[in-house]
Coordinates of all heavy atoms in Angstrom, one line a residue:
M204 N 97.5 168.6 69.4 CA 96.5 168.6 68.4 C 96.2 167.2 67.8 O 95.1 166.9 67.5 CB 97.0 169.6 67.3 CG 96.0 169.8 66.2 SD 94.6 170.7 66.8 CE 93.7 170.9 65.3
K205 N 97.3 166.4 67.7 CA 97.2 165.1 67.2 C 96.3 164.2 68.1 O 95.5 163.4 67.7 CB 98.5 164.4 67.0 CG 98.5 163.1 66.3 CD 99.9 162.6 66.0 CE 99.8 161.3 65.3 NZ 101.1 160.7 65.0
K206 N 96.5 164.4 69.5 CA 95.7 163.7 70.5 C 94.2 164.1 70.3 O 93.3 163.2 70.5 CB 96.2 164.1 71.9 CG 95.5 163.4 73.0 CD 96.1 162.0 73.2 CE 95.5 161.5 74.5 NZ 95.8 160.1 74.7
I207 N 93.9 165.3 70.1 CA 92.5 165.8 69.9 C 91.9 165.1 68.7 O 90.7 164.6 68.8 CB 92.4 167.3 69.8 CG1 92.8 167.9 71.1 CG2 91.0 167.7 69.4 CD1 93.0 169.4 71.1
I208 N 92.6 165.1 67.6 CA 92.1 164.4 66.4 C 91.9 162.9 66.6 O 90.9 162.3 66.1 CB 93.0 164.7 65.2 CG1 92.9 166.2 64.8 CG2 92.6 163.9 64.0 CD1 93.9 166.7 63.8
S209 N 92.8 162.3 67.3 CA 92.7 160.9 67.6 C 91.5 160.6 68.4 O 90.8 159.6 68.2 CB 94.0 160.5 68.3 OG 93.9 159.1 68.6
N210 N 91.3 161.4 69.4 CA 90.1 161.2 70.3 C 88.8 161.5 69.6 O 87.8 160.9 69.8 CB 90.2 162.0 71.6 CG 91.3 161.5 72.5 OD1 91.7 160.4 72.5 ND2 91.8 162.4 73.3
L211 N 88.9 162.4 68.6 CA 87.7 162.8 67.9 C 87.2 161.6 67.0 O 86.0 161.4 66.8 CB 87.9 164.0 67.0 CG 86.8 164.6 66.3 CD1 85.7 165.1 67.2 CD2 87.2 165.8 65.4
S212 N 88.2 160.9 66.4 CA 87.8 159.7 65.6 C 87.1 158.7 66.4 O 86.2 158.0 66.0 CB 89.0 159.2 64.9 OG 90.0 158.6 65.8
V213 N 87.6 158.5 67.7 CA 86.9 157.5 68.5 C 85.5 158.0 68.9 O 84.6 157.2 68.9 CB 87.8 157.3 69.8 CG1 87.1 156.4 70.8 CG2 89.1 156.7 69.4
I214 N 85.4 159.3 69.2 CA 84.1 159.8 69.5 C 83.1 159.7 68.4 O 81.9 159.3 68.6 CB 84.2 161.3 70.0 CG1 84.9 161.4 71.3 CG2 82.8 162.0 70.0 CD1 85.3 162.8 71.7
I215 N 83.5 159.9 67.1 CA 82.7 159.7 66.0 C 82.2 158.3 65.8 O 81.1 158.0 65.6 CB 83.4 160.2 64.7 CG1 83.5 161.7 64.7 CG2 82.7 159.8 63.4 CD1 84.4 162.3 63.6
F216 N 83.2 157.4 66.1 CA 82.9 155.9 66.0 C 81.8 155.6 67.1 O 80.8 154.9 66.8 CB 84.1 155.1 66.2 CG 83.9 153.7 66.2 CD1 83.7 153.0 65.1 CD2 84.0 153.0 67.4 CE1 83.6 151.6 65.1 CE2 83.8 151.6 67.4 CZ 83.6 150.9 66.3
V217 N 82.0 156.1 68.3 CA 81.0 155.7 69.3 C 79.7 156.4 69.1 O 78.6 155.7 69.3 CB 81.6 156.2 70.7 CG1 80.5 156.1 71.8 CG2 82.8 155.4 71.1
I218 N 79.6 157.6 68.5 CA 78.3 158.2 68.2 C 77.6 157.4 67.1 O 76.4 157.2 67.2 CB 78.6 159.6 67.7 CG1 78.9 160.5 68.9 CG2 77.3 160.2 67.0 CD1 79.3 161.9 68.5
G219 N 78.4 156.8 66.2 CA 77.8 156.0 65.1 C 77.2 154.7 65.8 O 76.1 154.3 65.4
C220 N 77.9 154.1 66.7 CA 77.4 152.9 67.4 C 76.1 153.2 68.2 O 75.2 152.4 68.2 CB 78.4 152.3 68.3 SG 79.8 151.5 67.5
I221 N 76.1 154.3 68.9 CA 75.0 154.7 69.7 C 73.8 155.0 68.8 O 72.6 154.6 69.1 CB 75.3 156.0 70.5 CG1 76.3 155.6 71.6 CG2 74.0 156.6 71.1 CD1 76.9 156.7 72.4
T222 N 74.0 155.7 67.6 CA 72.9 156.0 66.7 C 72.3 154.7 66.2 O 71.0 154.6 66.1 CB 73.4 156.8 65.6 OG1 74.0 158.0 66.1 CG2 72.2 157.3 64.7
V223 N 73.1 153.7 65.8 CA 72.6 152.4 65.3 C 71.8 151.7 66.4 O 70.7 151.2 66.1 CB 73.7 151.6 64.7 CG1 73.3 150.2 64.5 CG2 74.3 152.2 63.5
E224 N 72.3 151.7 67.6 CA 71.6 151.0 68.7 C 70.3 151.7 69.0 O 69.3 151.0 69.2 CB 72.5 151.1 69.9 CG 71.9 150.4 71.1 CD 71.8 148.9 71.0 OE1 72.6 148.3 70.2 OE2 70.9 148.3 71.6
V225 N 70.2 153.0 69.1 CA 69.0 153.7 69.4 C 68.0 153.5 68.3 O 66.8 153.4 68.5 CB 69.3 155.2 69.6 CG1 68.0 156.0 69.7 CG2 70.0 155.4 70.9
S226 N 68.4 153.4 67.0 CA 67.5 153.2 65.9 C 66.8 151.9 66.0 O 65.7 151.7 65.4 CB 68.2 153.4 64.6 OG 69.1 152.4 64.3
T227 N 67.4 150.9 66.6 CA 66.8 149.6 66.7 C 65.7 149.6 67.8 O 64.9 148.6 67.8 CB 67.8 148.5 67.1 OG1 68.4 148.8 68.4 CG2 68.9 148.4 66.0
W228 N 65.6 150.6 68.6 CA 64.5 150.7 69.6 C 63.2 151.1 69.0 O 62.1 150.8 69.5 CB 64.9 151.7 70.7 CG 66.0 151.3 71.5 CD1 66.7 150.1 71.6 CD2 66.7 152.1 72.4 NE1 67.7 150.1 72.4 CE2 67.8 151.4 73.0 CE3 66.6 153.4 72.8 CZ2 68.7 151.9 73.9 CZ3 67.5 154.0 73.7 CH2 68.5 153.2 74.3
F229 N 63.2 151.7 67.8 CA 62.0 152.2 67.2 C 61.7 151.4 66.0 O 62.6 150.8 65.3 CB 62.2 153.7 66.8 CG 62.6 154.6 67.9 CD1 63.9 155.1 68.0 CD2 61.7 154.9 68.9 CE1 64.3 155.9 69.1 CE2 62.0 155.7 70.0 CZ 63.3 156.2 70.0
D230 N 60.4 151.3 65.6 CA 60.0 150.5 64.5 C 60.3 151.1 63.1 O 60.8 150.4 62.3 CB 58.4 150.3 64.6 CG 58.0 149.4 65.8 OD1 58.9 148.6 66.2 OD2 56.9 149.6 66.2
D231 N 60.1 152.4 62.9 CA 60.3 153.0 61.6 C 61.4 154.0 61.6 O 61.3 155.1 61.2 CB 59.0 153.7 61.2 CG 57.9 152.7 61.0 OD1 58.1 151.6 60.6 OD2 56.7 153.1 61.2
A232 N 62.6 153.5 62.1 CA 63.8 154.4 62.2 C 64.8 154.0 61.2 O 66.0 154.0 61.5 CB 64.3 154.4 63.6
Y233 N 64.4 153.8 59.9 CA 65.3 153.3 58.9 C 66.3 154.4 58.5 O 67.5 154.1 58.4 CB 64.6 152.9 57.6 CG 63.7 151.7 57.9 CD1 62.3 151.9 57.8 CD2 64.2 150.5 58.2 CE1 61.4 150.8 58.0 CE2 63.3 149.4 58.5 CZ 62.0 149.6 58.4 OH 61.1 148.6 58.6
I234 N 65.9 155.6 58.4 CA 66.8 156.7 58.1 C 67.8 156.9 59.2 O 69.0 157.1 58.9 CB 66.0 158.0 57.8 CG1 65.1 157.8 56.6 CG2 66.9 159.2 57.6 CD1 64.1 159.0 56.3
M235 N 67.4 156.9 60.4 CA 68.3 157.0 61.5 C 69.3 155.9 61.5 O 70.5 156.1 61.8 CB 67.5 157.1 62.8 CG 68.3 157.3 64.0 SD 67.2 157.5 65.4 CE 68.3 157.6 66.8
F236 N 68.9 154.7 61.2 CA 69.8 153.5 61.1 C 70.9 153.7 60.1 O 72.0 153.5 60.3 CB 69.0 152.3 60.8 CG 69.8 151.0 60.7 CD1 70.3 150.4 61.8 CD2 70.1 150.5 59.5 CE1 71.1 149.3 61.7 CE2 70.9 149.4 59.3 CZ 71.4 148.8 60.5
F237 N 70.5 154.2 58.9 CA 71.4 154.4 57.8 C 72.4 155.5 58.1 O 73.5 155.5 57.7 CB 70.7 154.5 56.5 CG 70.1 153.2 56.0 CD1 68.7 153.1 55.8 CD2 70.9 152.1 55.8 CE1 68.2 151.9 55.4 CE2 70.3 150.9 55.4 CZ 69.0 150.8 55.2
I238 N 71.9 156.6 58.7 CA 72.7 157.7 59.1 C 73.8 157.2 60.1 O 74.9 157.6 60.1 CB 71.9 158.9 59.7 CG1 71.1 159.5 58.5 CG2 72.8 159.9 60.4 CD1 70.1 160.6 59.0
G239 N 73.3 156.4 61.1 CA 74.2 155.8 62.0 C 75.3 154.9 61.4 O 76.5 154.9 61.8
I240 N 74.9 154.1 60.4 CA 75.9 153.3 59.6 C 76.9 154.2 58.9 O 78.1 153.9 58.9 CB 75.1 152.4 58.6 CG1 74.3 151.4 59.4 CG2 76.1 151.7 57.7 CD1 75.1 150.3 60.2
V241 N 76.5 155.3 58.3 CA 77.4 156.2 57.6 C 78.4 156.8 58.6 O 79.6 156.9 58.4 CB 76.6 157.3 56.9 CG1 77.5 158.4 56.3 CG2 75.8 156.6 55.7
I242 N 77.8 157.3 59.8 CA 78.7 157.8 60.8 C 79.7 156.8 61.3 O 80.9 157.0 61.5 CB 77.9 158.4 62.0 CG1 77.1 159.6 61.5 CG2 78.8 158.8 63.1 CD1 76.1 160.1 62.5
L243 N 79.2 155.5 61.5 CA 80.1 154.4 61.9 C 81.2 154.2 60.9 O 82.3 154.0 61.3 CB 79.2 153.2 62.1 CG 79.8 152.0 62.8 CD1 80.3 152.3 64.2 CD2 78.8 150.9 62.8
I244 N 80.9 154.1 59.7 CA 81.9 153.9 58.6 C 82.9 155.0 58.6 O 84.1 154.8 58.5 CB 81.2 153.7 57.2 CG1 80.4 152.4 57.2 CG2 82.2 153.8 56.1 CD1 79.5 152.2 56.0
F245 N 82.4 156.3 58.7 CA 83.3 157.4 58.8 C 84.2 157.3 60.0 O 85.4 157.6 59.9 CB 82.5 158.7 58.8 CG 83.3 159.9 58.8 CD1 84.0 160.3 57.7 CD2 83.4 160.7 59.9 CE1 84.8 161.4 57.6 CE2 84.2 161.9 59.9 CZ 84.9 162.2 58.8
G246 N 83.7 156.9 61.1 CA 84.5 156.7 62.3 C 85.6 155.6 62.1 O 86.7 155.8 62.6
I247 N 85.2 154.5 61.5 CA 86.1 153.4 61.2 C 87.3 153.9 60.3 O 88.4 153.6 60.5 CB 85.4 152.2 60.7 CG1 84.6 151.6 61.8 CG2 86.4 151.2 60.1 CD1 83.7 150.4 61.3
I248 N 86.9 154.7 59.3 CA 87.9 155.2 58.3 C 88.9 156.1 59.1 O 90.1 156.0 58.9 CB 87.2 155.9 57.1 CG1 86.6 154.8 56.3 CG2 88.3 156.7 56.3 CD1 85.7 155.4 55.2
A249 N 88.3 157.0 59.9 CA 89.1 157.9 60.7 C 90.1 157.2 61.6 O 91.2 157.6 61.8 CB 88.3 158.9 61.4
M250 N 89.6 156.1 62.3 CA 90.4 155.4 63.2 C 91.5 154.6 62.4 O 92.6 154.4 62.9 CB 89.5 154.4 64.0 CG 88.7 155.2 65.0 SD 87.6 154.1 66.0 CE 88.8 153.4 67.1
T251 N 91.2 154.1 61.2 CA 92.1 153.4 60.4 C 93.3 154.4 60.0 O 94.5 154.0 60.1 CB 91.5 152.8 59.1 OG1 90.4 152.0 59.5 CG2 92.5 152.1 58.3
V252 N 92.9 155.6 59.7 CA 93.9 156.6 59.3 C 94.8 156.9 60.5 O 96.0 157.1 60.4 CB 93.3 157.9 58.7 CG1 94.3 159.0 58.6 CG2 92.6 157.6 57.4
Q253 N 94.2 156.9 61.7 CA 94.9 157.3 62.9 C 95.7 156.0 63.4 O 96.5 156.2 64.4 CB 94.0 157.7 64.0 CG 93.3 159.1 63.7 CD 94.3 160.2 63.7 OE1 95.3 160.2 64.4 NE2 94.1 161.1 62.8
G254 N 95.5 154.9 62.9 CA 96.2 153.7 63.4 C 95.5 153.0 64.6 O 96.2 152.3 65.3
K255 N 94.2 153.3 64.8 CA 93.6 152.7 66.0 C 92.5 151.7 65.6 O 91.5 151.5 66.2 CB 92.9 153.8 66.7 CG 93.8 154.8 67.4 CD 93.0 155.7 68.3 CE 94.0 156.4 69.2 NZ 93.3 156.9 70.4
I256 N 92.8 151.0 64.5 CA 91.8 150.0 64.0 C 91.7 148.8 65.0 O 90.6 148.2 65.1 CB 92.1 149.5 62.6 CG1 91.0 148.7 62.0 CG2 93.4 148.7 62.5 CD1 89.7 149.6 61.7
K257 N 92.8 148.5 65.7 CA 92.7 147.4 66.7 C 91.7 147.7 67.8 O 91.0 146.9 68.2 CB 94.1 147.1 67.2 CG 94.1 146.0 68.2 CD 95.5 145.7 68.7 CE 95.5 144.6 69.7 NZ 96.8 144.4 70.3
E258 N 91.8 149.0 68.2 CA 90.8 149.4 69.3 C 89.4 149.4 68.7 O 88.5 149.1 69.5 CB 91.2 150.8 69.7 CG 92.5 150.9 70.5 CD 92.8 152.3 70.9 OE1 92.0 153.2 70.8 OE2 94.0 152.5 71.3
A259 N 89.2 149.7 67.5 CA 87.8 149.7 66.9 C 87.3 148.3 66.9 O 86.1 148.1 67.2 CB 87.9 150.3 65.5
I260 N 88.1 147.4 66.4 CA 87.7 146.0 66.4 C 87.4 145.4 67.8 O 86.4 144.8 67.9 CB 88.8 145.1 65.7 CG1 88.9 145.5 64.2 CG2 88.5 143.6 65.8 CD1 90.0 144.9 63.5
E261 N 88.2 145.8 68.7 CA 87.9 145.3 70.1 C 86.6 145.9 70.6 O 85.9 145.2 71.3 CB 89.1 145.7 71.0 CG 90.3 144.9 70.8 CD 91.5 145.4 71.6 OE1 91.4 146.4 72.2 OE2 92.6 144.7 71.4
F262 N 86.4 147.2 70.3 CA 85.2 147.8 70.8 C 83.9 147.2 70.1 O 82.9 147.0 70.8 CB 85.2 149.3 70.5 CG 84.0 150.1 70.9 CD1 83.9 150.4 72.3 CD2 82.9 150.4 70.1 CE1 82.8 151.1 72.7 CE2 81.8 151.1 70.6 CZ 81.8 151.4 71.9
I263 N 84.0 146.9 68.8 CA 82.9 146.2 68.1 C 82.6 144.9 68.8 O 81.4 144.5 69.0 CB 83.2 146.1 66.6 CG1 83.2 147.5 66.0 CG2 82.2 145.2 66.0 CD1 83.6 147.5 64.5
I264 N 83.6 144.1 69.0 CA 83.4 142.8 69.6 C 82.8 142.9 71.0 O 81.9 142.1 71.3 CB 84.8 142.0 69.7 CG1 85.2 141.7 68.3 CG2 84.7 140.8 70.5 CD1 86.6 141.1 68.2
E265 N 83.3 143.8 71.8 CA 82.7 144.0 73.2 C 81.3 144.6 73.1 O 80.4 144.2 73.9 CB 83.6 144.9 74.0 CG 84.9 144.2 74.4 CD 85.8 145.2 75.1 OE1 85.4 146.2 75.5 OE2 87.0 144.8 75.3
Y266 N 81.0 145.5 72.1 CA 79.8 146.2 72.1 C 78.6 145.3 71.6 O 77.6 145.3 72.2 CB 79.9 147.4 71.1 CG 78.7 148.3 71.1 CD1 78.4 149.1 72.1 CD2 77.8 148.2 70.0 CE1 77.3 150.0 72.1 CE2 76.7 149.1 70.0 CZ 76.5 149.9 71.0 OH 75.4 150.7 71.0
F267 N 78.9 144.5 70.6 CA 77.9 143.6 70.0 C 78.1 142.2 70.6 O 77.3 141.3 70.5 CB 77.9 143.6 68.5 CG 77.6 144.9 67.9 CD1 78.5 145.7 67.3 CD2 76.3 145.4 68.0 CE1 78.2 146.9 66.8 CE2 76.0 146.6 67.4 CZ 76.9 147.4 66.8

């Protein structure tokens, strides 16, 4: 069960990154951008609680 929750926090983080990236493709996607930022922050908080903040930082550096 702990492994599922750990992987879920990573999935939430990646969904947030994807939402932010897709919102930059459109001109008037401000709401989608801010929803992506909120999901991204939630994913970072979940990864911090799980102790995977190092993986999150490495992913952000490689992604951007």
Side-chain angles (χ1 to χ4, degrees):
M204 185 70 178
K205 188 175 181 181
K206 181 87 170 166
I207 293 171
I208 293 172
S209 177
N210 289 338
L211 187 62
S212 65
V213 174
I214 291 170
I215 290 171
F216 178 76
V217 171
I218 288 173
C220 288
I221 291 170
T222 306
V223 170
E224 180 67 28
V225 169
S226 70
T227 60
W228 295 347
F229 303 108
D230 291 333
D231 297 327
Y233 300 112
I234 295 173
M235 186 175 172
F236 178 77
F237 289 120
I238 290 172
I240 293 292
V241 170
I242 293 171
L243 188 63
I244 291 170
F245 183 69
I247 289 172
I248 291 170
M250 290 177 77
T251 304
V252 170
Q253 295 293 323
K255 292 190 166 200
I256 193 65
K257 183 179 177 185
E258 293 176 12
I260 292 171
E261 289 173 356
F262 182 80
I263 290 172
I264 290 171
E265 290 176 11
Y266 187 75
F267 295 109

